[in-house]
Amino acid sequence: MSWVFTAEKRFYLHDGETLLDGMIRTEHKDVRFMCRQGYCGACKMQVKTYTGRLTCKKTPLAELDDDEVLACCCLPEGVLTVAYRHG
Ligand code: FES
């Protein structure tokens, strides 16, 4: 289990739940996604801080900066703070 902090909420992720699935489950209003497969980039999030490992369920195909993850692929451990990349 890990904890996630966004501008909208604090919530925990179940084992094996992606960041995107957790944001949808907790009814984030500004969450964006399309493919859920790691190639469109719509779910891109900026990582502010994290205490554990950030592993990927799939290899991201969308282009990412060093401080970005794809929420649909991201399986964080520990405590993660993220921000939306879209306006
Ligand atoms: S929803 Fe398309 S890359 Fe995550």
Side-chain angles (χ1 to χ4, degrees):
M1 189 179 88
S2 62
W3 282 94
V4 179
F5 294 74
T6 70
E8 293 187 49
K9 297 180 190 230
R10 303 169 188 185
F11 64 99
Y12 65 84
L13 290 175
H14 300 293
D15 287 342
E17 188 177 35
T18 65
L19 175 58
L20 178 63
D21 288 341
M23 291 174 72
I24 292 169
R25 174 176 52 82
T26 56
E27 301 179 346
H28 276 66
K29 291 185 175 59
D30 291 330
V31 65
R32 300 279 190 274
F33 60 91
M34 286 191 287
C35 71
R36 300 178 83 161
Q37 299 291 319
Y39 62 82
C40 76
C43 65
K44 205 178 279 188
M45 302 288 293
Q46 181 186 23
V47 175
K48 298 288 198 179
T49 61
Y50 64 99
T51 63
R53 286 190 314 148
L54 294 176
T55 55
C56 289
K57 189 170 132 184
K58 299 172 184 282
T59 303
L61 298 176
E63 194 172 318
L64 294 172
D65 287 340
D66 290 345
D67 64 344
E68 292 175 336
V69 291
L70 294 176
C72 68
C73 298
C74 183
L75 295 169
E77 294 174 4
V79 180
L80 172 69
T81 305
V82 287
Y84 291 117
R85 268 306 198 200
H86 57 74

